Amino acid sequence: MKKYYLFILFFISFNLVSAQLSPQSKKITEKFFSEYEELENRTPALKKKKGYTNYKELLEFLNNISAIHPDKISLKYIGESSKGKKIPIMFLSNNSKNLQKLNIWMQGGLHGDEPASTEAMLYLMHTLLNDSKYTYLLDKIDLAILPMANIDGFLKNNRYAANGLDLNRDHTKLMAIETRLIKDAFVQFNPDVALDFHEYRPFRKDFAQLSTFGICSAYDVMFHNSSNLNIPENIRIMIDTLFTKNAKDELDKINLKHRNYMKSEKISGEIHFSQGTTTARSSSNSFALNNVFATLFEIRGVGIAKTSFKRRVNSGLTLALSYLKTSYNNTDLIKEQIEIANGMSNEIIVKSDKSIYSDKIQAIDIDTNELIELDVMMRDAKKPIAKLIRVRPQGYIIKKEYSSIISKLKNLGIEMSQIQNDTLIDINKYLIKDYNDNFLVYEKMKLQEVKSELVDDIIKFSKGDYIIYMKQRRSNLIAELMEPEAPNSFVSFGLIKTKIDDILPIYRLNN
Ligand SMILES: [Zn+2]
């Protein structure tokens, strides 16, 4: 227990007394995460000693840069945050008429306490417009950059949106105004590549139990790639073997440590490690379920105040530039692979499990300030195992009364058509055979867990009911929303209430 308290003290000193970091943390920074002084003071937070970019400074920076380069960058707003702040989005294009141009989406600040993600987006704009080594990238790329996605949270240095929701758990249920606005902009821009910049907490509470006085994470960058099995395999593979591989090479050149994203969790008193993610509620999978090449980056930063801030901004900048270069050099390949993905019609993986393997991870021992290697059992979402598989239907049908679900589908860019006349249709309906309402509340939603059975029937649908055909780019996302057992579906999040022996108001259109 003693070492746990020591660690907690250390942990608190790190978080609260940011100006005077504890001696251990100073030593760790000096030895492993030295500041990157080469980065020039070009953005608001880099120009000042204390604090991060505030709203006024953000708008000044964006207005300024668009006034200097009106031919290449324009400032627009996607709407207002729940506290009434206009949310800026920047569009970069050199307006060349290249037919093979790629659309790339980047966002920072979705979690309001991860400031280097926003600063890296600002620095990136500066670089793409002013540094002759990189201006060519706009010959083949149009960019949309959302630098401060969660403005209300960011201005309070708080992870959550003003209504208390985590915006990176909201990608299927769309309960925050910010999410709905971001989805509108995302669908309208229609990206081929989409990147989400975050920072992670290197001092996790669970880490206190490891080694003598605890450990902290040793990585500058972790890659959170999409591994949901409904994402076409060619997209999953190319993200790992092309985009991420190239970015890792760039990080190696400047001695930044990296690995695939992993986190610890405490399961019945023991520390377990897991890596990757398959969950459609967070950005990298949500993006990639649109048949888009996607990555979420985690930069070492939460809870360490402004320590190594230039190093963190440079990590984000290096990643962004690397993904842009990879995109520029592979324009045709990327377009071609998206076409292939759009034509795929695999079975639907409704549920999957993590696989388990033993791995070695590096960490910094807080007591000795040395890099150590730990043997861990890794629960791996990067290689998931399919658990519940269903045939891909021709489409889904939903009754017109379910207007809030229909508006979420529209918000996500899903194409639907309406039935013209009352008609009988041969369908599969979902009969709820098992219902576990354990009253678990997650992100303010009352979760439901169901098991359903498909039953053949012929049902009369009315004029105005919606058919959602699966022959569309976002078909894999549709499956994640509509299949009731899928962990982030409308049923799982309690948006469509049900109970045992119910028939769901969602139907499968048979092939
Ligand atoms: Zn985050």
Side-chain angles (χ1 to χ4, degrees):
M1 224 39 205
K2 190 181 148 212
K3 69 179 181 184
Y4 187 70
Y5 287 125
L6 269 172
F7 182 85
I8 292 296
L9 274 175
F10 171 65
F11 187 77
I12 291 167
S13 73
F14 225 114
N15 280 293
L16 298 183
V17 198
S18 54
Q20 297 167 311
L21 295 176
S22 71
Q24 296 101 313
S25 64
K26 268 191 186 160
K27 273 195 238 159
I28 291 168
T29 303
E30 275 164 23
K31 185 165 174 183
F32 296 102
F33 302 101
S34 57
E35 188 56 304
Y36 186 77
E37 297 296 350
E38 291 90 326
L39 204 70
E40 293 170 7
N41 295 329
R42 295 287 184 184
T43 59
L46 290 174
K47 283 180 183 163
K48 55 187 186 183
K49 256 207 143 71
K50 278 186 183 173
Y52 307 113
T53 297
N54 62 34
Y55 191 59
K56 186 168 161 270
E57 291 165 339
L58 175 73
L59 293 189
E60 262 170 26
F61 179 89
L62 299 178
N63 274 309
N64 218 345
I65 201 165
S66 29
I68 299 169
H69 304 276
D71 50 329
K72 286 189 178 175
I73 189 165
S74 57
L75 164 61
K76 299 269 184 321
Y77 297 92
I78 63 170
E80 286 184 4
S81 72
S82 74
K83 291 266 183 211
K85 291 261 185 316
K86 288 197 289 177
I87 307 169
I89 187 167
M90 304 301 285
F91 293 101
L92 282 81
S93 172
N94 68 7
N95 300 308
S96 67
K97 297 275 173 283
N98 185 337
L99 287 177
Q100 277 304 316
K101 264 189 163 183
L102 291 175
N103 282 353
I104 301 188
W105 172 277
M106 294 193 193
Q107 61 184 44
L110 192 65
H111 289 147
D113 59 346
E114 300 172 8
S117 66
T118 289
E119 215 63 18
M121 293 297 95
L122 304 183
Y123 212 102
L124 176 68
M125 292 178 215
H126 166 78
T127 305
L128 290 173
L129 296 171
N130 296 295
D131 188 335
S132 57
K133 288 210 296 286
Y134 299 105
T135 45
Y136 76 94
L137 289 167
L138 293 179
D139 291 344
K140 289 190 184 178
I141 291 168
D142 284 348
L143 256 169
I145 300 182
L146 188 66
M148 199 183 279
N150 172 14
I151 289 202
D152 297 342
F154 196 98
L155 298 176
K156 291 182 144 185
N157 196 26
N158 184 323
R159 177 180 176 94
Y160 302 99
N163 63 1
L165 292 183
D166 186 327
L167 296 183
N168 203 29
R169 306 288 181 265
D170 198 33
H171 290 265
T172 62
K173 56 187 174 61
L174 313 182
M175 297 306 283
I177 178 70
E178 290 83 359
T179 314
R180 296 196 285 273
L181 296 170
I182 293 169
K183 291 297 173 195
D184 276 341
F186 183 89
V187 167
Q188 209 179 359
F189 185 66
N190 200 25
D192 304 296
V193 178
L195 308 174
D196 189 12
F197 293 79
H198 286 249
E199 293 193 278
Y200 78 90
R201 183 181 289 283
F203 295 89
R204 295 178 72 94
K205 275 183 210 158
D206 308 333
F207 285 179
Q209 293 185 11
L210 299 168
S211 199
T212 321
F213 291 118
I215 60 161
C216 75
S217 182
Y219 300 99
D220 284 285
V221 171
M222 294 197 279
F223 292 85
H224 220 359
N225 289 350
S226 345
S227 54
N228 179 300
L229 291 172
N230 290 316
I231 297 162
E233 194 176 17
N234 64 331
I235 289 193
R236 279 182 276 140
I237 290 176
M238 218 166 100
I239 268 288
D240 281 340
T241 57
L242 181 67
F243 287 93
T244 304
K245 188 193 168 295
N246 289 349
K248 286 178 174 174
D249 291 345
E250 294 289 331
L251 296 175
D252 286 338
K253 283 184 204 161
I254 50 174
N255 292 319
L256 294 177
K257 280 179 88 70
H258 54 79
R259 65 158 285 137
N260 293 325
Y261 179 77
M262 57 137 192
K263 66 182 174 68
S264 58
E265 52 194 308
K266 210 169 180 181
I267 299 173
S268 32
E270 265 186 53
I271 309 295
H272 290 227
F273 283 83
S274 62
Q275 69 173 0
T277 172
T278 56
T279 174
R281 63 174 177 256
S282 69
S283 64
S284 58
N285 289 302
S286 162
F287 291 164
L289 284 163
N290 291 270
N291 295 353
V292 164
F293 291 93
T295 297
L296 185 160
F297 305 107
E298 294 278 10
I299 299 163
R300 180 186 184 274
V302 178
I304 59 169
K306 221 175 169 182
T307 313
S308 340
F309 195 62
K310 283 187 166 184
R311 183 184 179 101
R312 288 149 61 186
V313 174
N314 190 51
S315 295
L317 180 67
T318 305
L319 293 165
L321 290 172
S322 170
Y323 271 63
L324 288 174
K325 275 190 266 179
T326 300
S327 300
Y328 181 96
N329 291 331
N330 296 281
T331 319
D332 295 345
L333 178 67
I334 290 166
K335 290 271 183 200
E336 180 191 297
Q337 293 302 316
I338 289 174
E339 272 312 302
I340 291 171
N342 291 346
M344 282 183 186
S345 55
N346 298 4
E347 296 165 305
I348 291 164
I349 313 300
V350 181
K351 288 178 100 169
S352 65
D353 265 346
K354 292 171 178 148
S355 57
I356 297 180
Y357 73 102
S358 61
D359 198 358
K360 282 188 193 309
I361 61 162
Q362 293 196 332
I364 298 162
D365 185 297
I366 288 176
D367 185 34
T368 62
N369 202 22
E370 294 291 342
L371 204 59
I372 56 170
E373 231 174 35
L374 295 175
D375 292 312
V376 299
M377 290 305 284
M378 190 65 83
R379 296 149 60 82
D380 192 8
K382 279 195 69 62
K383 288 198 180 69
I385 302 158
K387 218 170 96 185
L388 175 59
I389 302 175
R390 282 208 178 106
V391 173
R392 177 175 293 248
Q394 196 194 334
Y396 295 87
I397 307 180
I398 183 162
K399 301 247 183 182
K400 63 187 172 203
E401 293 80 41
Y402 287 83
S403 54
S404 77
I405 297 295
I406 290 155
S407 78
K408 285 182 200 294
L409 290 164
K410 285 183 183 162
N411 198 172
L412 290 162
I414 288 159
E415 292 162 21
M416 291 180 275
S417 48
Q418 278 182 288
I419 292 173
Q420 293 303 313
N421 300 297
D422 293 4
T423 177
L424 292 170
I425 303 181
D426 189 350
I427 48 86
N428 261 190
K429 56 189 184 184
Y430 297 95
L431 170 64
I432 301 300
K433 296 294 285 182
D434 198 359
Y435 178 68
N436 173 19
D437 180 355
N438 59 8
F439 300 99
L440 191 68
V441 175
Y442 175 78
E443 289 288 314
K444 302 189 178 179
M445 306 299 285
K446 204 168 138 246
L447 302 184
Q448 305 179 114
E449 200 183 341
V450 301
K451 272 187 197 144
S452 68
E453 191 182 287
L454 296 181
V455 181
D456 279 327
D457 203 353
I458 296 173
I459 288 204
K460 187 180 166 199
F461 289 94
S462 310
K463 179 175 191 261
D465 288 342
Y466 286 84
I467 304 190
I468 307 154
Y469 287 105
M470 288 293 266
K471 267 211 161 70
Q472 57 177 298
R473 182 171 183 175
R474 304 183 213 284
S475 63
N476 300 309
L477 179 59
I478 296 169
E480 290 282 341
L481 302 167
M482 302 302 253
E483 289 296 330
E485 293 88 349
N488 300 283
S489 69
F490 292 138
V491 170
S492 291
F493 268 125
L495 291 164
I496 296 174
K497 298 264 187 271
T498 186
K499 57 183 186 304
I500 198 120
D501 294 333
D502 261 8
I503 300 287
L504 289 180
I506 296 170
Y507 305 87
R508 291 165 63 98
L509 189 59
N510 292 327
N511 295 310

